[in-house]
Amino acid sequence: MAVRIFTLERRKMTIQTFEKEALKKKAVLFRKEILQVTNAAGSGHPGGSLSAVEILIALYDYKMNHKPDDPQWEDRDRLIISKGHVTPVTYVTLANYGYFPKEELKGFRKFDSILQGHVHRKVPGVEFNTGSLGHGLSVVNGIALGAKLQKKSFRSYCVMGDGEIQEGSVWEAAMSAAHFKLDNVCAIVDYNKVQENGPTNEIKNLEPLAEKWRSFGWHAIEVIGHNFDQLIAALDQIDTIKDKPCVIIAHTIKGKGISFMEGERGWHGKAPNDEQLAEALKELE
Ligand SMILES: Cc1ncc(C[n+]2csc(CCOP(=O)(O)OP(=O)(O)O)c2C)c(N)n1
């Protein structure tokens, strides 16, 4: 694969219609591959992976400065996938942007592979091990404080689940980011409304979610998390916010794209069998 460098220069380009069409095609491909890798492994987390596809594409394709051929590049933007169970979307994304050969995806969740069930730093492009929910934002704060101390201009992103942000540690981190005026932090909540055991609003209601973040001192933006125009506009907007952290609340659908998975908690952590895979792939054609 040709080496691609995603830099500031690229971000300054106005994104054209044809590019958006390419992003949409990429989203379909990623959904197919998420289903294929979980099917081949016989396990994994498709629901919260399918909801986060456009979020990750908008970050890796449009927003972040990063070099897939040099994952440790000092000035890269950092992304922590705090909902660390969504390895299917994380690894499919990293492979497609050239962090490691796509061939490796065949080993997903197999003993001799680096691609295990939760996000791990052994994998090129992964910044931090996650899986125990609720820790990513604190780590992102630390990285962002470090950047300020070193007078570096890179930004740190944190993708969290809506079930995950019921953790108290998230709100402790939210307070810290505002206290330290971390305008180089951007949290993204994949607000797919369903957690492991059922609807988020029945288990522990998050509403009014944007107001909560604002009351903690954050700049909050709400978007449809499957709409590239809205995601890109939000990612542009964060550059204009000074002295406070930003959160993008991305309204999404768990299991997005597959009719029998959408909104179903049963697909949180279960792989499609061969028949279900065939049906799902047909829907995506
Ligand atoms: C501290 C902690 N408690 C419980 C779990 C088990 N667990 C894994 S995923 C999950 C649900 C997370 O829901 P959400 O954040 O909404 O994820 P998504 O729907 O986006 O997949 C739970 C409870 C965990 N990984 N870590």
Side-chain angles (χ1 to χ4, degrees), residues 19-214:
E19 285 186 287
K20 279 185 206 143
E21 287 311 309
L23 298 185
K24 283 184 198 164
K25 278 193 188 145
K26 221 169 251 186
V28 172
L29 173 71
F30 286 18
R31 288 201 162 87
K32 286 183 179 167
E33 292 183 354
I34 286 166
L35 296 161
Q36 283 161 340
V37 297
T38 48
N39 165 265
S43 63
H45 293 83
S49 286
L50 292 165
S51 61
V53 167
E54 285 83 3
I55 295 170
L56 291 199
I57 292 177
L59 286 170
Y60 279 96
D61 219 287
Y62 177 70
K63 184 66 176 177
M64 291 200 305
N65 297 314
H66 65 115
K67 294 183 184 178
D69 64 325
D70 184 8
Q72 296 303 308
W73 175 42
E74 234 193 310
D75 293 327
R76 70 194 183 281
D77 288 328
R78 272 67 166 174
L79 166 62
I80 289 185
I81 305 288
S82 192
K83 52 170 205 161
H85 52 284
V86 296
T87 36
V89 69
T90 306
Y91 293 162
V92 161
T93 302
L94 289 172
N96 275 286
Y97 285 104
Y99 279 88
F100 53 83
K102 284 187 75 171
E103 190 68 13
E104 295 270 350
L105 290 172
K106 291 187 182 151
F108 179 61
R109 278 184 165 246
K110 304 217 166 87
F111 277 129
D112 54 353
S113 169
I114 54 164
L115 303 183
Q116 291 302 306
H118 286 75
V119 172
H120 199 286
R121 286 191 72 233
K122 275 185 207 155
V123 180
V126 171
E127 300 283 353
F128 190 70
N129 301 350
T130 51
S132 180
L133 297 165
H135 299 295
L137 191 56
S138 298
V139 177
V140 161
N141 284 347
I143 295 170
L145 273 169
K148 294 238 176 221
L149 286 171
Q150 293 173 71
K151 305 210 181 315
K152 293 274 188 186
S153 61
F154 66 79
R155 195 181 278 284
S156 300
Y157 297 88
C158 183
V159 173
M160 294 182 286
D162 51 5
E164 175 179 17
I165 66 170
Q166 294 165 345
E167 294 278 354
S169 54
V170 171
W171 298 98
E172 191 179 337
M175 268 192 281
S176 299
H179 177 80
F180 291 110
K181 299 187 169 42
L182 297 180
D183 51 11
N184 51 353
V185 164
C186 176
I188 302 174
V189 179
D190 180 0
Y191 197 2
N192 62 28
K193 320 292 185 301
V194 179
Q195 56 193 92
E196 189 174 16
N197 298 323
T200 310
N201 66 358
E202 285 176 20
I203 292 172
K204 200 188 281 179
N205 189 18
L206 297 170
E207 290 300 334
L209 187 56
E211 280 176 43
K212 280 194 178 71
W213 285 98
R214 287 179 189 130

